[in-house]
Amino acid sequence: MSRVLATPSRSILVSLACVLIAIFPVRADEGMWLFNNPPLKQFKEKYQFEPTPQWLEHLQKSSVRFNSGGSGSFVSANGLVITNHHVGADTLQKISSQEHNYLRDGFYAKTQAQEIKPTDLELNVLVSIEDVTARVNGALKAGLSADAASAARGSAIAQIEKESREKTGLRSDVV
C-alpha cells in the first residue's frame, strides 16, 4: 500500500495568506528613519529609551552596505560582518573552487590569518549625512524639459559628490 501526500496548491496558499493578513493586520512600529533624524520622542514615550548621540553614531557606523547589494552590520572591532546568506552568496561563489564549494559546505577560519579574502567585495559605511535637497532642486530652472531637468539634476549631484570627495577624501553618494 502506498500513500501520496499532497501539498496545497499555490492559489490556496495565497488565499490563506490574504485571509491571515486581513485578520491579523501588520502594524509598523517606529518605521524607517535616518540616523540624523531618529524618532527620539517616540523612543522615549514607547520604550523609555533615550539614545545618546554617541550611541546613534555607533549604530550608524556599525551598518554596512555591500557593493553587490544588501546590507549587514559589523559585529566585532576587527571588521567581522554579519549579513544574510543571499547577500554573501555572490562572494562565496566567487571564492569557491573545484575543491572547495563554500556556498554549499561553508567555511570556518580559526584565525584571522586563515580567512579567505574576497576578490571584489566592497563594504560601504555611512560616515555622515547631509541634506542636499535644496541644492539639487536649486539647479532646476522653470521651463526645463524633462531631459534638461534630468541633466541639471545630474550635474548638481556630480558637483556635490566631487566637492565632498575633495573635502573629506571619502566617496559620497547623493541618494
Side-chain angles (χ1 to χ4, degrees):
M1 174 189 240
S2 65
R3 189 165 101 177
V4 176
L5 298 175
T7 58
S9 73
R10 183 179 171 106
S11 61
I12 292 172
L13 292 175
V14 170
S15 299
L16 179 61
C18 290
V19 168
L20 290 174
I21 288 171
I23 294 171
F24 303 106
V26 177
R27 297 194 196 287
D29 195 13
E30 71 278 348
M32 295 181 68
W33 43 270
L34 296 175
F35 291 108
N36 65 340
N37 190 23
L40 297 174
K41 181 180 176 194
Q42 194 169 356
F43 286 164
K44 186 173 182 177
E45 290 173 357
K46 192 167 185 177
Y47 304 107
Q48 295 73 52
F49 174 61
E50 295 181 64
T52 64
Q54 295 81 9
W55 184 86
L56 288 166
E57 181 181 8
H58 176 79
L59 184 67
Q60 172 185 306
K61 291 181 179 172
S62 296
S63 303
V64 298
R65 179 180 69 179
F66 285 70
N67 66 326
S68 56
S71 61
S73 299
F74 287 115
V75 293
S76 81
N78 295 333
L80 182 63
V81 173
I82 188 169
T83 189
N84 294 322
H85 184 269
H86 71 275
V87 175
D90 178 61
T91 297
L92 290 172
Q93 288 173 331
K94 288 177 181 175
I95 63 173
S96 290
S97 64
Q98 292 283 56
E99 300 83 34
H100 303 285
N101 183 334
Y102 298 120
L103 184 61
R104 181 190 67 218
D105 303 329
F107 176 76
Y108 175 73
K110 292 180 182 176
T111 67
Q112 199 167 5
Q114 291 177 326
E115 291 180 2
I116 300 168
K117 306 296 183 231
T119 55
D120 62 353
L121 182 63
E122 176 183 294
L123 299 181
N124 304 135
V125 176
L126 180 60
V127 176
S128 66
I129 300 172
E130 179 183 342
D131 186 354
V132 295
T133 306
R135 188 163 169 202
V136 172
N137 287 341
L140 305 176
K141 306 300 178 207
L144 289 178
S145 68
D147 287 342
S150 179
R153 186 178 301 108
S155 179
I157 289 171
Q159 184 62 33
I160 292 166
E161 291 174 347
K162 178 180 181 273
E163 290 170 6
S164 179
R165 180 177 206 116
E166 290 170 353
K167 180 179 175 184
T168 66
L170 303 172
R171 188 184 81 223
S172 294
D173 297 319
V174 174
V175 294

